[in-house]
Amino acid sequence: MMMTLRGPRLMGLSLVFVAAMMLGLPTAVPAADKNEIVIGATLPLTGMLSMMGAEQKWAYEQAAADINAEGGIYVKEYDKKLPVKLIVADNETDAGKAVAAIERLVKVDKVDFLLSDSTLPLVMPTAVAAEKWKVYYHATICLLPPWQEQKFKWSTDYFFDGAQATAVPFEVLDTIPEADRPKKLALLAEDSTDGRILGPIFKEAGKQYGYEFDYEEPVAVGSKDYSSQILKLKSKGIDGAILFAGSGDCVTFVRQMKEVGLNLKYLHGYKGTWGTEFWNALGQDAEYILADGFWSETYPYPRAEEIGERYYQNFNKRSVSIGLFYALCQTLFQAIEAAGTLDGAKVREAVLTTEFKGTVMGDIKYNPDGTAVFPLAAFQWQEGLLRRVYPFVEGASPVLIAPPWDKR
Amino acid sequence: MKTMGQNSKSKRRLALTVVVVALLTAVPGVLDPETSYVVFLLFSAFIYVALAQAWNLVSGYTGQVSLGNHAFFGLGAYVIAIGWSRGLIGYLDPLGMLLAGCAAAILGILVGIPLLSKLRGDYFALGTLGLGEILRLVTIQGRALTAGPTGIFLPSSSFTTIVPYYFMALFLALLATGVTYYMVKSNTGLALVATRDDEAAAAAIGINILKFKVLAFAVGAFLAGLCGALQAYYVFHVEPQGFFSLSWTIYPVLMCVLGGVGTLTGPVVGAVFLTAAFEVAKYYLPEIHPIFSGLLIILVIMFLPNGLVRLRRGRIVRNPKAA
Amino acid sequence: MLLEVANLTKRFGGLQVLDDVSFALHEGEILGLIGPNGAGKSTLFNLITGVYRPNEGQIRFQGKSLVNLKPHRVCRRGIARTFQLVKIFPSMTVLENVLAGAVYGRSSGRKNALAEARGCLEILNLAEVSDTPAAHLTYSDRRLVEIARAIAAKPRLALLDEPLAGLNPAETEKIMGVIKDIRSLRGISIIWIEHKIDAVFNVCDRIVVLDYGRKIAEGQPREIAAHQKVVEAYLGEPLA
Amino acid sequence: MLDFIPPIDILLQLLINGVLFGTMYGIAAIGLSLIFGTMRIVFIAQGTMIILAAYGSFWLFNLWSVNPYVSILIVVPASLIVGSGLYQVLFRKVAREGQFPTLLIAFGLMALLENLMSVVFSADARAIQTSYAAYALTFMGLKISFTRLMAFVMAVAGTVGVAFFLKKTLLGKAVRAASENLEYAMLVGITPHMVNTLTFAIGIGLAGLAGVATATAYAFDPFSGFVFSLKAMIALALGGMGNVVGALLGGLLLGVIEAFGAFFLSGGWADVISYAVFLLVLMFKPEGLFASGTSAKP
Amino acid sequence: MANPLLNVVDLNVFHGEAQALWDISFQIQAGEVFAIIGSNGAGKSTILKTLAGLLRPSAGRVEFLGSRIDGRSAARIVDLGLALVPEGRGLFSGLTVAENLELGAFTKRARPLMKQTMEEMAATFQIIRIRSDQLAGKMSGGEQQMLAIAKALMSKPRLLMLDEPSLGLAPLVVKTVFEIIATLKQQGVTILLVEQNIHQALRIADHACVIKTGRITLVGTGKELLSDPEIHKAYMGSLR
């Protein structure tokens, strides 16, 4: 077997090499005198969710730049305004990597606070990590029930309320004259964490509004072929549906719907239908399809329009989510100022007790259990633009019924 | 072999190993584990050492290219998650981890027997690759037992310090290396290497080829299962996507290849080196480091196909006459 | 009777490689197995050692059938072999090669096996190179290692497949001596496939001749040398 | 879960859908089969190459309004060149080193391309939007997607083209000869590098064709290639390695299995079934379901 | 003597780290049949493989038509006109007879002449006419051997090398093979023949050499060697 005996020496060498690399990693000196607030975030900058991560990162950076333009956040403990330093680490759209990235933010970058990662499969493990290292984690885009179940002490979660969010389609449907309403509804929720959690809640909400699903089945993630399912829908005479799936899957689904000739008067997409890319991929076929959204630049709140416009200037497209991330930063900054300290526990306390006024999401108030909710919006593709149809506050458009494919 | 008059050499090696282990044991005492990132990095490096060693045993010493490490890793993690969430095992429970390892080993045996008795190398690699995919899909469909795509959340309030993780990972790395060393140095090693070198000749001297292939495969699975179990305890959230990720196979393979396949120190060197290299890449190239990793894989294979450890040996004993 | 081969037939697809071959081997005998290329000699070895299964016929070793046994089982019954194309374990040292034979043959315990292995290396004059990686050996030493590995398994019967192929006269002499030693020192019976017929004639007790899968002659070397069919088989046709 | 017995036309529709989609697996599998047959390389990046070609077609359409079916004329030749380049740069040197170096290089290439594409093109799902993108022909009451039918036609044309090349041209015969016995092939004057370059070019050329088919008929993102590769491997295992027609048939079979699995169970289980079939075939019939009766070697 | 067609000078070849050939030298004149004979493992096939460019010599040189070919690729060598029918016949068993023949004419030099050569082959070899669409692997051993020779001839060789063309064939078929070789000789094809069927080989050979353990031990005309007692000793040892 001729074992090589030079291994140990090589190993020693490589240990030296590793040590050298460690030194190469910049290590923050724990400052006796604070001159900045370090806020870290792990985000999917690469991998499947890198689009979302990029958007979220942009919103965080805007908020940090905006507050720094005002000189920073006044912290009573130091009796001065401290600028915000934002550090974003990549999680490669992988929970394990996200946890490792938190470890680095905490130990190398010595962050004072953590801002939210993206989507439940990444937010939950990072919330656990924050719990381990006792750093305050200001989270969002994580369905509330799983988060509540864990009884986290070091994080909060700002997200839509399941009951409200799942009621949206029914509230919208209720605005349609009874004769035009779809008769048979289907619930198609993606076979993922979110889909599994939301599925039953949709049913519950439907019941409350007097709607029943005549068909429901999980939708396989990333499948290139949904025709089997669409055939089932057709054979059951379905004419309205809620589709919870990623954007690629939604594109495939809608295309095959048209191919197979399944006519839906009302298709309310969740998660996969709001992107500009969805429209680009489907063109006119996307018309009349509804989409969810965390936020709208048509909201009548301070700076909402401005932030939306800034995003448009930068990326030449509209977003229905950046406002949420921007508002998340706004509430964190306000809470830090209110707490007057960089102590995580106290800032969390401040988050729970402060009434946040005038964010781009409107006013926000956290519950004692660490959650806060915002209303989920609904949009409909009309002439290539997302028109807000819900909530029915100022600026909302009426919903349109989709004609059959051959009548368009 | 110690009977071969290499006593002084093996003593020196032993001494060096003891010194290194002693130094590593002292790390959490010297550096504050709660604030030092190095402790964490070493923790993840140790897990990779163990995983790389597990693959090395199967593929390096036995010559069966397995791409199923992540299947066993994920299975180990799920055993912990399911057991702990139902109160059957506890936090950082050694018995639970043993159970996880055994579950992985049993799966290894069940799958190994038909795959290893029927398949040539390429097919075996594909078959094991398929195994990981199947487990991932089955856990997604696993409803209440595996909590589907959501995965299982574990009581994170149990966490107090990273120190026990550090030592457990160190132990796993040592265990994997030790098991490999023991298996290779013992009669088993003779059978494994004989099988790799020439199956017909191995069978002709009385070696039950299938038995040893399956044995190595099962031991590799056991070690990977243990690693998965520890990772489950560390992340507190076991879900299909991350725990059945192919990277739990590919990175260890890459580490082995970089360090030297079929050598004892190769996987150790490779794992430590690459953990550090990826870390640095991630820090300086946050948005494009996977491109760098891909490039690194290609470059390593193209220019160091025999790894660092082999490279040195090759230079020393090269026979000038060889055509 | 140590080994009895009865009516052995083997076909590969349509090709009849062995056709109704029968012979027997007595305890302590050295049996030469000769015949032109393609006569089916190596196939016979592969049938005895369980690499192939016969289409028809029986193989009995010490009274028990070997048919359907896997190669490693056959070895544990007490039959070791070498290969026509030398098969050593190149990434092991010489001692490790032989040790593997001792450990998995019929020795018990590592210590005994080690002693056994060293003993075999002694017999074959390989002690000096025992720590050399097998990959670095000369061709003739590889042959020797292969034989040493086979006898380290403590067989009752050793099947040697052209151990002299590719060796020069001095090396040939050496291995012929070794073959005799194996029997006299260890009491191992031998079936020996060889093309170097003079060597076979000098060493073997009896000879079996195969041609086109059939046994065409069997007997003592002197008888075989005079056997018309044998000469024809070898030289193509009767000498002028 | 069988809550109703489906009428025959639905079963037929399922069959058609399965076949139409299965050709995509099939054409990917043929490329893999060629590369595997001559070089023993398990080219796991094949799916990613398909996606890369799909992006090629996508951008040609979006930036220069090149009709996606016309883009075949650009994408496929480009793929041929990329393929031979890949062999020359990545595999020529390593091809002799054995199995896992080449596997790892293919994996590295996959990681590299996936992330490169996600950085350059963004990770958004894309699809080509044409007037006929969701148009379906009606044939005896059955709906047949136009783009999928075209994809099917392209796949069949690709298969026929490759089969013709292998059967009827001297170079094609040389490829078959070399994958049967490289040494014998060298003795008649065939150089391994020539054959390898050729097969890699064709393999990636097929990926190019599959890429155009993907871009026109399906939505794709930078990361959807890996699953494609895995499915192509399954198709390959079903069809028997190194067997062009078998690979296509394997793909069709897989497509049909998935279509029926998705209908009768659910999408998630359909994948489980296809992997289970894969493992079972590997375990019990590793020569593939459509292996021609070549005599089992002793 | 005129310039030889093939001139082999002091060829040394290694198999891995074991030397297989030592200082092999011989010449072949255009139009003659040259035989290399020797027992199994003596190194005959190694010589042919080296000449064909499949193995690289570590020392020595090979001149063909006055220019050096050692170290050139196999493809280049066959294009120059050195065709080898290897042991095992070198056929592509999954390809048809016609396809095998076409590939025989793969070289740049032979390709333009493919059609014409094919007709010539069909005239010489009956089987090609009848069974051109049959898979080569499905033919009998004798037919395969004919096809293998025809395939090699498709490359329009200046020197045809045959490695044990009679191996594994029934006596009657062997006779036919040698008849073919004789016909080729008459047609002026230069042939390098490796055989263990020494009588047939020497009878047809103009010149021959005997190789033993990698070294040439005897050289002479076919007739001289045929009556040389050493030959019989080399094969049959003390038989005489």
Side-chain angles (χ1 to χ4, degrees):
Chain A
M1 280 143 258
M2 309 194 295
M3 287 306 314
T4 31
L5 310 176
R6 282 124 210 129
R9 201 180 311 154
L10 240 179
M11 188 169 142
L13 258 173
S14 69
L15 280 176
V16 170
F17 175 81
V18 171
M21 281 189 157
M22 300 290 176
L23 293 179
L25 287 174
T27 36
V29 192
D33 185 30
K34 263 302 211 194
N35 45 28
E36 60 188 4
I37 303 170
V38 187
I39 299 179
T42 55
L43 285 173
L45 301 180
T46 60
M48 300 270 198
L49 296 178
S50 53
M51 267 323 279
M52 267 191 103
E55 198 168 60
Q56 208 164 333
K57 181 173 176 239
W58 182 85
Y60 288 170
E61 282 168 355
Q62 295 302 309
D66 287 351
I67 194 87
N68 287 343
E70 294 167 17
I73 303 168
Y74 175 74
V75 184
K76 200 172 168 204
E77 193 180 350
Y78 301 97
D79 193 23
K80 61 176 174 184
K81 279 192 166 184
L82 295 178
V84 167
K85 184 184 171 196
L86 180 71
I87 300 176
V88 177
D90 182 25
N91 62 30
E92 304 175 44
T93 319
D94 178 308
K97 304 267 165 62
V99 171
I102 292 274
E103 199 103 13
R104 202 191 76 203
L105 289 174
V106 169
K107 292 178 176 175
V108 177
D109 301 314
K110 316 275 184 206
V111 295
D112 298 302
F113 308 103
L114 288 165
L115 269 171
S116 185
D117 206 316
S118 192
T119 74
L120 184 144
L122 296 168
V123 174
M124 283 299 294
T126 42
V128 169
E131 209 72 7
K132 282 192 210 162
W133 303 111
K134 305 193 172 19
V135 177
Y136 174 61
Y137 184 37
H138 200 51
T140 182
I141 338 191
C142 176
L143 288 175
L144 298 172
W147 184 88
Q148 282 163 320
E149 218 170 89
Q150 299 300 314
K151 306 213 177 339
F152 289 128
K153 294 277 175 302
W154 287 88
S155 52
T156 56
D157 188 12
Y158 176 48
F159 205 47
F160 60 70
D161 170 51
Q164 178 270 332
T166 50
V168 174
F170 309 109
E171 291 208 15
V172 176
L173 280 171
D174 274 346
T175 65
I176 302 172
E178 182 134 18
D180 298 342
R181 268 182 225 162
K183 302 281 173 295
K184 283 189 158 184
L185 285 181
L187 173 60
L188 305 159
E190 166 187 273
D191 206 353
S192 70
T193 307
D194 292 349
R196 293 242 164 172
I197 293 172
L198 284 178
I201 311 179
F202 269 114
K203 272 167 74 181
E204 194 54 41
K207 249 183 225 157
Q208 287 190 1
Y209 285 80
Y211 291 88
E212 226 174 285
F213 290 106
D214 293 279
Y215 176 81
E216 63 178 296
E217 192 181 277
V219 173
V221 179
S223 170
K224 292 268 175 276
D225 192 294
Y226 295 110
S227 48
S228 301
Q229 248 167 339
I230 294 169
L231 278 173
K232 271 195 233 177
L233 296 179
K234 206 181 164 194
S235 67
K236 294 192 165 224
I238 301 293
D239 61 351
I242 293 166
L243 173 62
F244 184 99
S247 70
D249 294 347
C250 284
V251 170
T252 308
F253 199 93
V254 173
R255 264 198 184 181
Q256 291 194 306
M257 241 172 69
K258 186 178 175 193
E259 286 166 11
V260 176
L262 172 69
N263 289 307
L264 297 181
K265 288 181 181 167
Y266 182 89
L267 176 60
H268 199 133
Y270 275 77
K271 181 165 116 175
T273 56
W274 55 262
T276 314
E277 289 70 25
F278 179 74
W279 175 269
N280 288 343
L282 283 170
Q284 287 301 320
D285 295 341
E287 192 80 1
Y288 304 108
I289 292 170
L290 284 92
D292 66 331
F294 296 142
W295 170 80
S296 168
E297 59 191 80
T298 64
Y299 276 170
Y301 308 128
R303 304 187 73 175
E305 197 184 340
E306 182 205 328
I307 300 294
E309 194 52 32
R310 211 190 285 173
Y311 182 83
Y312 184 76
Q313 293 303 329
N314 244 289
F315 297 99
N316 200 29
K317 58 183 182 184
R318 305 280 171 188
S319 167
V320 293
S321 55
I322 44 151
L324 169 62
F325 307 127
Y326 192 89
L328 190 75
C329 296
Q330 288 180 311
T331 53
L332 178 62
F333 299 161
Q334 286 184 30
I336 293 170
E337 186 155 0
T341 170
L342 298 185
D343 182 294
K346 288 185 182 139
V347 170
R348 183 177 191 266
E349 196 51 40
V351 169
L352 297 189
T353 50
T354 310
E355 283 193 28
F356 301 103
K357 295 279 184 200
T359 76
V360 293
M361 293 282 281
D363 298 345
I364 299 167
K365 174 86 186 81
Y366 276 77
N367 301 318
D369 71 347
T371 63
V373 297
F374 60 83
L376 191 69
F379 301 83
Q380 185 173 36
W381 286 105
Q382 296 175 5
E383 289 149 11
L385 290 175
L386 280 174
R387 299 242 188 265
R388 176 159 59 85
V389 296
Y390 185 90
F392 309 125
V393 291
E394 189 186 328
S397 316
V399 70
L400 303 174
I401 288 295
W405 293 110
D406 48 10
K407 298 262 166 62
R408 292 194 185 180
Chain B
M1 229 150 274
K2 62 172 175 270
T3 43
M4 288 186 195
Q6 299 178 343
N7 262 327
S8 66
K9 240 177 193 174
S10 66
K11 261 185 198 155
R12 229 184 322 145
R13 246 191 315 162
L14 188 70
L16 218 139
T17 313
V18 169
V19 169
V20 170
V21 171
L23 282 177
L24 289 174
T25 314
V27 164
V30 179
L31 302 167
D32 179 3
E34 308 313 316
T35 57
S36 164
Y37 188 52
V38 174
V39 175
F40 165 75
L41 262 194
L42 284 172
F43 160 76
S44 44
F46 293 154
I47 289 190
Y48 275 123
V49 167
L51 282 171
Q53 209 65 272
W55 186 83
N56 187 35
L57 181 63
V58 181
S59 304
Y61 283 107
T62 323
Q64 304 296 318
V65 180
S66 159
L67 294 179
N69 244 6
H70 60 300
F72 303 116
F73 181 88
L75 180 68
Y78 265 93
V79 168
I80 292 298
I82 292 169
W84 193 9
S85 60
R86 280 165 182 65
L88 302 174
I89 52 179
Y91 173 60
L92 290 180
D93 184 346
L95 272 179
M97 292 180 70
L98 191 67
L99 187 71
C102 289
I106 290 168
L107 180 70
I109 293 169
L110 289 181
V111 178
I113 290 174
L115 279 183
L116 286 165
S117 61
K118 287 265 181 181
L119 297 187
R120 284 188 287 117
D122 344 314
Y123 293 79
F124 179 71
L126 288 185
T128 47
L129 185 66
L131 181 68
E133 248 340 78
I134 287 198
L135 284 190
R136 188 177 69 81
L137 292 167
V138 167
T139 46
I140 288 176
Q141 300 296 328
R143 293 172 194 259
L145 184 66
T146 59
T150 316
I152 300 169
F153 290 101
L154 299 169
S156 56
S157 49
S158 313
F159 181 88
T160 47
T161 154
I162 197 172
V163 174
Y165 292 94
Y166 177 88
F167 282 110
M168 278 183 147
L170 177 60
F171 173 74
L172 283 190
L174 289 174
L175 178 74
T177 310
V179 164
T180 307
Y181 178 82
Y182 172 76
M183 281 184 69
V184 168
K185 286 296 162 185
S186 69
N187 293 347
T188 308
L190 287 174
L192 294 180
V193 177
T195 305
R196 180 188 67 189
D197 280 4
D198 195 315
E199 287 196 9
I205 57 168
I207 293 170
N208 186 345
I209 305 173
L210 180 62
K211 183 180 113 184
F212 282 102
K213 281 187 191 170
V214 172
L215 175 72
F217 191 54
V219 171
F222 175 78
L223 293 170
L226 283 182
C227 293
L230 185 57
Q231 180 78 2
Y233 277 128
Y234 175 71
V235 178
F236 289 97
H237 174 201
V238 178
E239 38 76 48
Q241 225 62 28
F243 277 85
F244 288 110
S245 157
L246 187 61
S247 62
W248 292 116
T249 291
I250 294 295
Y251 284 159
V253 173
L254 183 61
M255 288 159 177
C256 275
V257 174
L258 178 69
V261 175
T263 62
L264 198 64
T265 40
V268 180
V269 172
V272 172
F273 183 89
L274 275 189
T275 310
F278 284 146
E279 193 57 36
V280 171
K282 213 182 294 180
Y283 195 88
Y284 288 104
L285 313 165
E287 267 139 60
I288 55 167
H289 64 93
I291 301 176
F292 165 82
S293 312
L295 201 61
L296 188 69
I297 294 176
I298 294 173
L299 292 178
V300 163
I301 308 293
M302 282 182 65
F303 297 107
L304 281 176
N306 290 323
L308 294 166
V309 174
R310 276 283 166 82
L311 190 73
R312 283 190 73 121
R313 184 180 68 190
R315 226 181 294 145
I316 290 160
V317 292
R318 181 152 208 135
N319 188 336
K321 263 206 229 162
Chain C
M1 221 43 81
L2 187 65
L3 180 80
E4 291 166 88
V5 170
N7 312 107
L8 210 57
T9 297
K10 178 68 187 171
R11 288 179 291 268
F12 290 132
L15 196 64
Q16 180 111 352
V17 185
L18 276 185
D19 185 2
D20 198 27
V21 172
S22 305
F23 66 90
L25 176 84
H26 303 272
E27 186 89 46
E29 216 177 7
I30 300 182
L31 179 76
L33 187 58
I34 64 171
N37 262 354
K41 307 180 298 286
S42 293
T43 305
L44 184 63
F45 272 17
N46 284 335
L47 286 168
I48 295 174
T49 54
V51 176
Y52 303 150
R53 282 184 191 175
N55 295 89
E56 286 155 43
Q58 255 307 328
I59 305 164
R60 293 184 170 278
F61 182 67
Q62 294 177 316
K64 285 185 206 148
S65 173
L66 293 180
V67 177
N68 290 337
L69 285 189
K70 289 239 167 102
H72 68 270
R73 292 257 161 237
V74 174
C75 174
R76 299 215 186 130
R77 286 277 182 88
I79 300 181
R81 74 175 291 187
T82 68
F83 294 85
Q84 191 177 359
L85 300 169
V86 193
K87 288 180 184 289
I88 49 160
F89 305 130
S91 60
M92 295 186 187
T93 65
V94 169
L95 180 62
E96 284 166 343
N97 261 278
V98 181
L99 186 61
V103 167
Y104 289 98
R106 305 202 299 168
S107 294
S108 52
R110 178 82 171 224
K111 266 205 179 126
N112 292 342
L114 201 56
E116 179 68 32
R118 288 190 192 284
C120 293
L121 289 178
E122 274 319 313
I123 294 178
L124 289 136
N125 292 318
L126 286 170
E128 270 178 31
V129 292
S130 62
D131 288 335
T132 309
H136 298 167
L137 292 179
T138 62
Y139 184 69
S140 69
D141 278 350
R142 289 180 197 208
R143 283 269 178 220
L144 286 173
V145 169
E146 204 191 12
I147 296 172
R149 190 181 64 197
I151 61 168
K154 281 196 186 164
R156 301 297 315 140
L157 169 63
L159 309 178
L160 307 179
D161 198 345
E162 291 199 45
L164 303 183
L167 301 185
N168 64 30
E171 292 161 350
T172 301
E173 283 300 322
K174 190 166 151 193
I175 293 209
M176 280 166 66
V178 162
I179 291 172
K180 288 183 210 161
D181 287 349
I182 293 171
R183 175 180 48 184
S184 58
L185 297 179
R186 306 231 142 197
I188 299 173
S189 312
I190 291 167
I191 302 181
W192 177 13
I193 293 179
E194 191 49 70
H195 272 94
K196 290 187 175 163
I197 292 182
D198 48 352
V200 177
F201 286 168
N202 284 325
V203 177
C204 292
D205 303 314
R206 264 184 331 123
I207 293 173
V208 167
V209 188
L210 292 182
D211 194 19
Y212 293 107
R214 263 177 294 240
K215 187 172 85 173
I216 56 168
E218 178 176 359
Q220 307 215 324
R222 202 167 310 144
E223 297 161 15
I224 295 296
H227 201 294
Q228 190 61 31
K229 272 192 182 167
V230 178
V231 177
E232 273 178 40
Y234 261 80
L235 297 180
E237 55 190 83
L239 293 176
Chain D
M1 284 182 212
L2 254 179
D3 41 9
F4 70 106
I5 296 161
I8 187 79
D9 60 329
I10 288 211
L11 292 179
L12 273 176
Q13 184 78 59
L14 282 176
L15 187 68
I16 288 175
N17 290 336
V19 166
L20 289 186
F21 193 67
T23 46
M24 298 295 295
Y25 295 147
I27 194 170
I30 293 169
L32 283 179
S33 170
L34 279 174
I35 293 171
F36 181 82
T38 47
M39 277 162 285
R40 303 268 122 188
I41 293 175
V42 178
F43 191 64
I44 201 163
Q46 179 80 350
T48 307
M49 296 307 297
I50 291 176
I51 298 301
L52 186 63
Y55 272 106
S57 186
F58 175 85
W59 288 114
L60 283 171
F61 175 76
N62 270 30
L63 299 179
W64 294 289
S65 314
V66 179
N67 180 302
Y69 294 112
V70 175
S71 74
I72 293 176
L73 299 177
I74 303 163
V75 173
V76 172
S79 303
L80 289 168
I81 294 167
V82 168
S84 52
L86 277 183
Y87 170 72
Q88 293 294 339
V89 176
L90 294 184
F91 292 101
R92 183 175 177 140
K93 198 170 141 243
V94 191
R96 275 160 295 165
E97 306 273 352
Q99 203 96 71
F100 57 72
T102 56
L103 182 70
L104 281 177
I105 287 201
F107 184 82
L109 182 68
M110 184 176 96
L112 182 77
L113 288 178
E114 276 183 352
N115 291 289
L116 199 63
M117 288 191 288
S118 84
V119 168
V120 179
F121 305 145
S122 92
D124 280 312
R126 308 276 188 168
I128 291 185
Q129 170 48 32
T130 52
S131 55
Y132 45 84
Y135 172 69
L137 308 162
T138 312
F139 175 73
M140 287 169 58
L142 299 172
K143 293 274 188 181
I144 300 172
S145 151
F146 173 73
T147 54
R148 287 178 179 222
L149 187 65
M150 285 299 285
F152 175 79
V153 169
M154 281 153 66
V156 171
T159 312
V160 170
V162 170
F164 179 85
F165 168 77
L166 290 177
K167 282 268 175 202
K168 297 292 172 193
T169 67
L170 191 64
L171 277 182
K173 288 166 192 172
V175 170
R176 279 158 66 209
S179 53
E180 188 181 313
N181 189 321
L182 192 59
E183 189 173 290
Y184 291 174
M186 287 162 73
L187 285 177
V188 296
I190 297 166
T191 53
H193 285 315
M194 181 203 78
V195 170
N196 292 350
T197 310
L198 200 62
T199 42
F200 236 98
I202 296 170
I204 305 304
L206 284 173
L209 195 62
V212 175
T214 303
T216 50
Y218 307 97
F220 58 92
D221 64 67
F223 298 95
S224 45
F226 177 59
V227 174
F228 228 120
S229 293
L230 283 181
K231 294 287 172 67
M233 303 265 170
I234 298 178
L236 197 55
L238 293 182
M241 301 223 182
N243 177 345
V244 169
V245 181
L248 184 68
L249 289 179
L252 296 185
L253 182 65
L254 184 64
V256 172
I257 290 176
E258 289 192 348
F260 279 86
F263 187 83
F264 289 107
L265 295 168
S266 77
W269 282 110
D271 280 346
V272 177
I273 292 169
S274 49
Y275 284 109
V277 169
F278 172 59
L279 269 193
L280 289 177
V281 169
L282 279 188
M283 283 177 188
F284 299 108
K285 209 165 182 313
E287 70 276 14
L289 298 176
F290 309 111
S292 54
T294 43
S295 58
K297 280 181 192 151
Chain E
M1 246 204 274
N3 273 341
L5 181 68
L6 181 79
N7 187 18
V8 178
V9 186
D10 289 337
L11 209 58
N12 282 272
V13 178
F14 281 82
H15 274 314
E17 286 160 41
Q19 185 153 9
L21 295 179
W22 279 266
D23 303 328
I24 300 290
S25 301
F26 60 89
Q27 283 103 37
I28 299 177
Q29 303 296 331
E32 74 167 339
V33 172
F34 187 94
I36 300 176
I37 57 180
S39 65
N40 246 21
K44 295 170 302 202
S45 299
T46 308
I47 297 178
L48 294 195
K49 282 189 172 178
T50 310
L51 295 182
L54 295 177
L55 292 175
R56 274 171 196 253
S58 62
R61 59 179 202 274
V62 181
E63 289 163 10
F64 184 65
L65 288 167
S67 58
R68 283 186 68 159
I69 58 165
D70 48 290
R72 296 219 170 160
S73 73
R76 185 83 191 94
I77 288 175
V78 66
D79 197 25
L80 283 171
L82 218 72
L84 169 64
V85 177
E87 207 177 340
R89 302 189 183 115
L91 293 176
F92 305 112
S93 52
L95 274 61
T96 65
V97 169
E99 287 172 337
N100 267 284
L101 290 174
E102 285 169 31
L103 285 174
F106 190 82
T107 59
K108 246 183 252 151
R109 193 165 55 87
R111 212 178 299 181
L113 308 169
M114 185 190 294
K115 266 220 162 108
Q116 188 194 335
T117 324
M118 193 91 101
E119 278 162 23
E120 287 169 28
M121 289 305 124
T124 320
F125 300 91
Q126 226 192 344
I127 45 140
I128 294 168
R129 282 199 303 276
I130 325 168
R131 324 181 95 169
S132 65
D133 289 332
Q134 192 174 356
L135 286 186
K138 299 248 159 135
M139 308 209 305
S140 75
E143 290 169 335
Q144 286 191 1
Q145 192 60 59
M146 304 292 174
L147 178 58
I149 294 173
K151 177 177 150 227
L153 290 173
M154 286 296 293
S155 70
K156 292 278 169 188
R158 297 182 170 108
L159 174 62
L160 177 65
M161 301 189 280
L162 303 173
D163 197 349
E164 307 236 14
S166 71
L167 185 65
L169 300 181
L172 218 77
V173 186
V174 173
K175 221 177 125 199
T176 326
V177 168
F178 276 96
E179 278 166 19
I180 294 270
I181 294 174
T183 318
L184 292 176
K185 182 185 174 183
Q186 274 174 5
Q187 290 171 356
V189 182
T190 315
I191 294 170
L192 172 51
L193 178 65
V194 158
E195 256 300 341
Q196 57 160 358
N197 195 326
I198 39 176
H199 272 268
Q200 295 271 29
L202 289 181
R203 198 161 296 152
I204 208 167
D206 299 291
H207 289 89
C209 68
V210 177
I211 176 163
K212 212 172 163 186
T213 59
R215 294 179 173 85
I216 289 181
T217 55
L218 278 175
V219 200
T221 65
K223 283 213 181 86
E224 283 165 16
L225 292 182
L226 199 55
S227 52
D228 193 320
E230 280 297 312
I231 292 285
H232 302 286
K233 249 177 98 180
Y235 269 82
M236 301 299 286
S238 51
L239 192 67
R240 289 269 105 187

